Amino acid sequence: MSYDRAITVFSPDGHLFQVEYAMEAVRRGSTAVGIKGKDCVVLAVERRALAKLQEARTIRKIVSVDERSVLAFAGLTADARVLIQKIRVEAQSYRLTMEDSPSIDYLARYLARTQQQYTQRGGVRPFGIASLFCGVSSDDGAPELYQTDPAGTHSRWKAQVIGGRNAKSLREFLEKQYQDGMEETACVRLAIQALLEVVDSGAKTMEVCVVRRGGKKETMEEDAIETIVKEIEAEQEEKRAPAAAASGGDSEYV
């Protein structure tokens, strides 16, 4: 029996192959990084190179869900568009019914529940995206960061990477560099530094959004990102110079 033909059939060793194939679609997607600081969350994504005549504003990897929440995704863009529309409708329905804005935890659970429903019945397929979802639950609340995946699980993070073949190594990089209570400048710098490990064109292929306390959102301009990229590259060059000089000096005595 071919166990990867049906979404609702487990293989003998307990796998749902269609869900695993959806996770492979995420790994083939562009990289997204989320970092939670003292009073902010920074989302940074790798934006694939655009065609010369293509409008850049129509290709977004970071989108607003509600006035206090933002979502970044990795995987199939068309699937993301459908899922984003569902969570936007749910956020507005909650406002209409409860006369209050939904919490970030509520929307993250709804997002994960929707993804899970598409793994449990026939006639559908899993959403081929993973998401980093952040925002605030109150006017003076600190931002929170959640991750969801095609299997329908959701979890809260201090820093996380999704998408791309190098997600594991970038996660290890964040584990070494992350510190609790980081300021906004340090969070932005760390997110860009992580993306520089996988992008070649610097700020041109990056998209960075900062969500601050109270739900204030700001998308960074390309010039501001480029300034930070140049600072990071200059520091890396300074670190390489003494090492290169030391290796050159040793060769004189060989």
Side-chain angles (χ1 to χ4, degrees):
M1 179 178 179
S2 181
Y3 292 97
D4 62 352
R5 296 289 180 86
I7 185 64
T8 57
V9 179
F10 282 95
S11 69
D13 53 354
H15 290 273
L16 284 173
F17 285 117
Q18 289 296 325
V19 175
E20 294 185 5
Y21 296 159
M23 291 182 177
E24 179 62 24
V26 172
R27 283 190 287 271
R28 290 174 181 266
S30 54
T31 303
V33 180
I35 298 175
K36 182 181 182 300
K38 181 180 179 182
D39 292 310
C40 69
V41 169
V42 176
L43 295 178
V45 299
E46 173 194 5
R47 188 169 57 190
R48 296 289 168 84
L50 300 175
K52 187 175 181 180
L53 301 179
Q54 191 173 17
E55 279 282 356
R57 66 181 180 81
T58 61
I59 307 297
R60 293 290 185 188
K61 290 287 186 178
I62 301 177
V63 297
S64 292
V65 172
D66 199 8
E67 61 183 24
R68 295 175 178 170
S69 56
V70 178
L71 182 144
F73 65 89
L76 302 178
T77 302
D79 285 14
R81 186 178 65 246
V82 173
L83 197 56
I84 289 165
Q85 182 63 23
K86 287 179 178 292
I87 191 175
R88 281 174 171 169
V89 170
E90 177 63 22
Q92 294 303 313
S93 298
Y94 187 98
R95 283 179 177 274
L96 184 64
T97 305
M98 303 296 183
E99 297 184 355
D100 193 11
S101 59
S103 68
I104 300 304
D105 180 69
Y106 174 85
L107 290 177
R109 282 188 285 111
Y110 174 82
L111 188 63
R113 185 169 69 248
T114 302
Q115 288 181 279
Q116 194 277 334
Q117 288 173 351
Y118 279 72
T119 69
Q120 205 169 5
R121 66 177 189 268
V124 298
R125 65 164 176 79
F127 286 98
I129 73 160
S131 68
L132 293 175
F133 183 62
C134 74
V136 300
S137 298
S138 60
D139 290 334
D140 59 347
E144 305 165 23
L145 175 65
Y146 287 86
Q147 180 212 348
T148 70
D149 64 23
T153 59
H154 83 291
S155 51
R156 188 169 174 177
W157 292 78
K158 296 179 180 178
Q160 175 63 314
V161 181
I162 58 173
R165 295 296 185 185
N166 299 314
K168 184 178 179 181
S169 60
L170 290 182
R171 196 173 298 115
E172 292 172 352
F173 170 78
L174 291 181
E175 289 173 356
K176 294 177 181 177
Q177 301 294 328
Y178 181 83
Q179 297 176 352
D180 287 326
M182 293 173 65
E183 298 294 336
E184 179 181 320
T185 305
C187 291
V188 171
R189 185 184 179 86
L190 181 58
I192 293 175
Q193 192 173 354
L195 277 188
L196 281 175
E197 300 292 326
V198 296
V199 302
D200 299 323
S201 304
K204 292 181 180 179
T205 52
M206 291 185 189
E207 190 176 344
V208 181
C209 179
V210 181
V211 181
R212 301 185 179 92
R213 181 179 289 273
K216 299 176 182 177
K217 297 174 283 190
E218 179 186 354
T219 300
M220 293 183 63
E221 298 291 337
E222 185 176 315
D223 293 341
I225 300 173
E226 185 63 34
T227 300
I228 298 173
V229 168
K230 289 180 178 178
E231 290 176 0
I232 294 171
E233 291 176 344
E235 285 186 7
Q236 291 174 343
E237 286 296 327
E238 289 178 4
K239 290 179 180 178
R240 291 193 197 103
S247 62
D250 293 341
S251 63
E252 295 177 6
Y253 299 97
V254 174

